[in-house]
Amino acid sequence: MSVPTVEKDGFEKVIGTGKPALIEFGAAWCSPCRMLNPVLEELQEEFGSEVSVAKVNVDASPELASAFGVMSMPTVLLFHRGEAVEKLIGLRPKKAYQELVATAVLG
């Protein structure tokens, strides 16, 4: 299952669902972002019922990137109750994202 790409309206819906949301800020031309795609898909399958996973294309939504201080790609933010609570900058091993999500889900 592919991870949805959202713009402003879709973004607001994803972070406003009441469950944690893992959002990747990237671009189609960004090699590390493309390398992260399969990891995001795996996380979506693994935690999909407990965490929303989505992507924001910074070229299509520069205002969202600016609002959250995204300066490098990929940047992954974890939202809880509509607020950004964690930020990972750059490509990380899958385990780093799993731990981030597990922390959000467990407490």
Side-chain angles (χ1 to χ4, degrees):
M1 180 196 297
S2 71
V3 174
T5 299
V6 296
E7 293 189 16
K8 184 152 180 57
D9 292 340
F11 175 83
E12 296 295 332
K13 287 179 187 173
V14 170
I15 68 168
T17 63
K19 64 181 179 178
L22 191 70
I23 311 289
E24 182 248 343
F25 289 79
W29 51 264
C30 167
S31 294
C33 301
R34 287 193 308 266
M35 293 169 58
L36 183 56
N37 280 337
V39 172
L40 293 174
E41 289 172 1
E42 291 171 16
L43 291 171
Q44 185 177 26
E45 287 180 27
E46 206 172 315
F47 296 102
S49 63
E50 301 162 301
V51 176
S52 298
V53 180
K55 300 186 289 188
V56 170
N57 181 328
V58 300
D59 290 334
S61 300
E63 71 285 351
L64 284 176
S66 178
F68 294 101
V70 174
M71 304 289 281
S72 298
M73 294 180 289
T75 293
V76 175
L77 280 92
L78 178 68
F79 290 83
H80 191 59
R81 295 187 180 109
E83 298 292 324
V85 294
E86 294 287 339
K87 180 189 267 188
L88 295 179
I89 300 170
L91 184 62
R92 306 283 180 95
K94 180 181 176 183
K95 187 163 181 66
Y97 302 106
Q98 284 174 314
E99 289 173 355
L100 185 67
V101 171
T103 299
V105 170
L106 298 175

